[in-house]
Amino acid sequence: MPFLLLLSLASYAAATTFFVAPGGNSKNSGLTISTPLGSINQALRLCGPGDTVCLLQGTYRELIRFPDKHGRPENPICLIGYSLSEDGYPIIDGGAVEPSSEASNDWIHIEQSSWLEIARMKFRNGWTFPVKIHQSSYITFRHCRFWGGKRVINASGAETHHILVEDCFWDQGGRELWTIVADTDGVPAWTSMHHGGMAYYNGSLIDFSGTSGSVVIRRNTIVNAFNGVRYRGRKGFDSNVEIYENNVSEMRDNDFEPEYYTYNLHIYHNVSHNIHRTLSVDNVEGGQIYYYGNVVTADTDSWSRRICSGVWKLKGGMRKPAHPIYLFNNSFYASGIAFQNMRGSVPFIRHYNNAYVFRTDGGWHLDRWDSTDDFDYDISNLPWPDNLLDHQMEKHGTIADIRYEDPGHGNLRLQKNSPGIDAGTVMKIQENDWVQEFDGKAPDVGAYENDQLVEGPPFRIMNPPEGTLTYKEKPRIVRDKVAGKSVTVYFSDRIDPGSVTKDDIELYKGDEKLMVVAMTLSPDGYRLSALVNAEVDRSALSISFTRMPRGLNGEEATYWASTMPIHRGTTGRTRTAGD
């Protein structure tokens, strides 16, 4: 065996940590804090699967490159800030002097790489597309802070799939971006930012086009930007997207905007405040959009009245073939108009159990209609538009104040005497074999059921009708539920029943290992339930497997993007850079 290969295998077997500091030296070993390297890229060239590059506090003016770098499942290559405190995160400075559509001040290039994690870092002065991912998979950004950038994370290439952005923060342009009304030529700010002199703001935290999808965007904070999450899907590509538990505020345009094409898009449990519109679907092919359990509020309309703001932008119709747009159990305390300028019919809207309180003049104004649409069991404080009534919609809908607990402070839970309690319909989604669970006589109207955000269908990987997926899904945990002594996890793809037994499952309550008494796998292979010997609290629960389950497609499961924490200290534990 060649000597070089022996060295490579040795590095895989024993994970190594390399330290880098702005004042480091390329002649140092980099193996201790006191002997740091001076270059991030030098340290990355030394890394193999499971290795970590730790950046000490300071400012780095270096374009970070991952060319053909590969970790392994559960053993990624990690690039992290050494400090656990945000005050001590290292800063990557792109050097951009000011926003510009011509600037190319980049932070990171990832090319033909896989299983990488980037965490606990601050990024400043990057324009216009500062993070580029091409033909790469299983890329994670965690606990990162971004300032600037038009489209911060840009992903491309049919071999690109499985991108996770979680617990990150992005401020595109500061408070002035939200408050500015006109540019120097007197053009309204929205027009200028959308397609005029300030179009370098018309981007988002992440943009992907022509990828194989499987993108997870969760628990991020996005403020003072033109859009929150916007992507330009290509037909048959960029599918299987999950956007949940994000906090989005002060958006000049939309918080969530798929363009051109989307398929199997789940948007849920997000909180949005002061935006132009929430979900924007404008002449988009594909479909199967699930938008539920979201809370949208507004406390200002200083500029929204100028440029008709409101709730939805469903415009021009879903291009065929079209699948349903499910809009159910959401709560709005809104300025503006619900369906302003819905020019051209939009087919297959399924609009149920939503709660609307318009805090200013506005209302519905539903201009167009499609015979495949259905609206019912909603509650609004302003009258339904003629288009709904003329088509016998909202037969069970109500015109009333739904009585939010404290809408002025963003609390849109229902008061105990709310007309929305037990006033909804039971949602059933055939393609996911899912039926809505609820307490009482019927589901509540709005985003909450018994003070908890409503659940929708658990995510499942779906091959687009065009059949363009370039990979086999490694099943991953996409939802978990705990009730008493029962623990249930849902997988993104079917599990082979012969690949897992109760003895393969390790569940921990804090550091206490629980006894798994019994295990069941649902007939469809998506849901695994375990009965343990003690009642557990979800917040204290973690999981691991002594032997990874396998999917029916032959792929071994992964901890990547698991919704349930992975227990520390086990042989099967994921290395997560943010830990």
Side-chain angles (χ1 to χ4, degrees):
M1 182 177 291
F3 179 65
L4 180 59
L5 182 55
L6 282 171
L7 288 177
S8 298
L9 290 175
S11 67
Y12 295 166
T16 303
T17 297
F18 298 94
F19 295 91
V20 182
N25 192 307
S26 62
K27 296 181 180 180
N28 287 341
S29 68
L31 297 177
T32 67
I33 293 177
S34 59
T35 59
L37 298 168
S39 165
I40 300 171
N41 289 307
Q42 180 188 6
L44 289 174
R45 285 193 292 271
L46 300 173
C47 283
D51 291 345
T52 296
V53 173
C54 256
L55 303 186
L56 302 181
Q57 186 173 357
T59 300
Y60 298 79
R61 294 178 174 85
E62 179 179 1
L63 173 58
I64 301 169
R65 298 181 183 273
F66 291 90
D68 198 23
K69 296 296 293 186
H70 300 275
R72 288 179 178 172
E74 324 327 323
N75 284 287
I77 295 172
C78 298
L79 173 63
I80 68 174
Y82 176 74
S83 174
L84 296 177
S85 168
E86 186 175 335
D87 292 339
Y89 285 3
I91 298 171
I92 309 300
D93 193 321
V97 176
E98 60 184 15
S100 166
S101 295
E102 290 74 39
S104 57
N105 298 80
D106 295 349
W107 294 319
I108 298 177
H109 288 179
I110 300 173
E111 178 77 30
Q112 294 183 332
S113 297
S114 64
W115 295 99
L116 308 177
E117 295 199 7
I118 299 162
R120 298 203 305 257
M121 300 167 66
K122 294 179 179 179
F123 296 86
R124 297 184 182 275
N125 302 322
W127 286 91
T128 300
F129 314 122
V131 178
K132 295 182 174 67
I133 302 171
H134 184 64
Q135 305 292 43
S136 299
S137 60
Y138 291 98
I139 309 299
T140 295
F141 289 85
R142 181 183 286 114
H143 297 298
C144 289
R145 304 292 180 260
F146 303 101
W147 286 270
K150 177 179 181 177
R151 298 195 295 264
V152 177
I153 299 172
N154 300 265
S156 62
E159 299 300 322
T160 294
H161 56 87
H162 288 88
I163 299 173
L164 170 63
V165 183
E166 68 175 1
D167 297 309
C168 292
F169 170 88
W170 179 45
D171 185 331
Q172 185 181 33
R175 182 67 183 174
E176 60 272 17
L177 181 61
W178 168 247
T179 56
I180 188 171
V181 175
D183 67 13
T184 54
D185 298 324
V187 179
W190 184 91
T191 303
S192 180
M193 291 176 190
H194 189 259
H195 50 254
M198 294 190 292
Y200 43 79
Y201 283 117
N202 187 1
S204 69
L205 173 63
I206 184 169
D207 185 280
F208 41 98
S209 181
T211 73
S212 283
S214 285
V215 177
V216 182
I217 305 161
R218 66 186 183 193
R219 299 192 305 270
N220 301 289
T221 298
I222 305 173
V223 298
N224 302 319
F226 193 71
N227 296 298
V229 176
R230 166 180 170 259
Y231 63 92
R232 300 161 299 141
R234 287 176 50 196
K235 186 173 182 179
F237 294 88
D238 308 300
S239 57
N240 297 301
V241 179
E242 299 171 80
I243 304 172
Y244 62 92
E245 296 178 10
N246 299 283
N247 194 312
V248 185
S249 61
E250 275 68 56
M251 296 294 104
R252 296 310 303 256
D253 202 36
N254 311 294
D255 49 2
F256 309 118
E257 183 177 14
E259 292 191 332
Y260 309 126
Y261 181 91
T262 191
Y263 185 73
N264 197 26
L265 169 60
H266 293 240
I267 303 175
Y268 62 94
H269 296 181
N270 301 284
V271 176
S272 302
H273 181 66
N274 286 346
I275 56 172
H276 179 57
R277 297 283 172 81
T278 180
L279 177 64
S280 172
V281 179
D282 185 351
N283 280 317
V284 178
E285 291 189 67
Q288 236 137 281
I289 299 173
Y290 309 92
Y291 183 99
Y292 65 87
N294 298 287
V295 174
V296 181
T297 63
D299 62 16
T300 179
D301 57 1
S302 59
W303 74 276
S304 64
R305 283 172 176 261
R306 295 169 172 261
I307 312 219
C308 316
S309 289
V311 178
W312 308 103
K313 180 184 179 184
L314 303 180
K315 176 183 173 184
M318 295 283 289
R319 297 175 185 166
K320 295 181 179 180
H323 301 274
I325 304 176
Y326 294 100
L327 312 174
F328 66 94
N329 283 101
N330 301 286
S331 292
F332 302 98
Y333 181 65
S335 295
I337 293 170
F339 285 91
Q340 172 74 17
N341 294 335
M342 196 165 102
R343 296 189 293 271
S345 61
V346 181
F348 301 113
I349 296 175
R350 300 289 181 264
H351 184 283
Y352 310 111
N353 301 347
N354 297 290
Y356 292 85
V357 172
F358 295 94
R359 55 175 291 276
T360 59
D361 293 340
W364 284 83
H365 299 269
L366 185 63
D367 300 328
R368 300 296 177 92
W369 182 261
D370 189 277
S371 60
T372 63
D373 294 340
D374 195 14
F375 287 63
D376 207 356
Y377 290 91
D378 304 295
I379 296 180
S380 171
N381 69 323
L382 293 181
W384 310 119
D386 291 340
N387 253 344
L388 289 182
L389 300 179
D390 292 346
H391 290 87
Q392 291 76 52
M393 296 291 102
E394 294 296 352
K395 292 180 180 178
H396 305 91
T398 304
I399 303 299
D401 179 1
I402 197 165
R403 298 176 195 151
Y404 294 135
E405 283 192 0
D406 190 2
H409 292 90
N411 182 357
L412 302 194
R413 291 175 174 82
L414 301 182
Q415 297 180 26
K416 292 182 179 180
N417 62 348
S418 168
I421 294 175
D422 294 349
T425 186
V426 179
M427 289 292 299
K428 300 177 182 178
I429 298 179
Q430 183 176 356
E431 61 263 28
N432 292 77
D433 192 27
W434 175 80
V435 179
Q436 185 176 12
E437 297 179 357
F438 58 91
D439 296 319
K441 298 178 181 179
D444 294 345
V445 172
Y448 294 93
E449 178 77 25
N450 255 2
D451 290 336
Q452 300 296 316
L453 291 170
V454 299
E455 289 190 349
F459 175 84
R460 295 178 177 181
I461 197 78
M462 298 177 70
N463 198 358
E466 297 79 9
T468 50
L469 290 189
T470 61
Y471 61 90
K472 291 182 179 179
E473 173 77 355
K474 298 177 75 65
R476 55 188 176 85
I477 298 174
V478 295
R479 180 170 296 176
D480 57 90
K481 295 176 66 175
V482 177
K485 297 180 181 180
S486 176
V487 178
T488 301
V489 293
Y490 298 80
F491 286 91
S492 61
D493 210 348
R494 293 180 173 92
I495 296 297
D496 181 348
S499 71
V500 61
T501 70
K502 70 179 182 64
D503 297 327
D504 298 319
I505 306 168
E506 292 184 333
L507 288 164
Y508 291 81
K509 181 181 179 181
D511 291 327
E512 176 192 355
K513 186 176 180 180
L514 301 170
M515 179 184 295
V516 179
V517 178
M519 183 214 80
T520 57
L521 186 67
S522 62
D524 60 14
Y526 285 105
R527 186 179 70 253
L528 186 153
S529 297
L531 184 66
V532 295
N533 62 328
E535 291 198 359
V536 291
D537 184 331
R538 183 181 182 275
S539 63
L541 192 66
S542 59
I543 191 172
S544 64
F545 294 92
T546 57
R547 180 184 63 158
M548 276 293 199
R550 286 190 177 274
L552 285 176
N553 61 6
E555 287 292 309
E556 192 173 78
T558 178
Y559 294 136
W560 186 87
S562 171
T563 60
M564 180 174 284
I566 307 305
H567 185 70
R568 298 172 180 269
T570 64
T571 55
R573 180 186 176 270
T574 304
R575 280 178 56 91
T576 54
D579 290 345

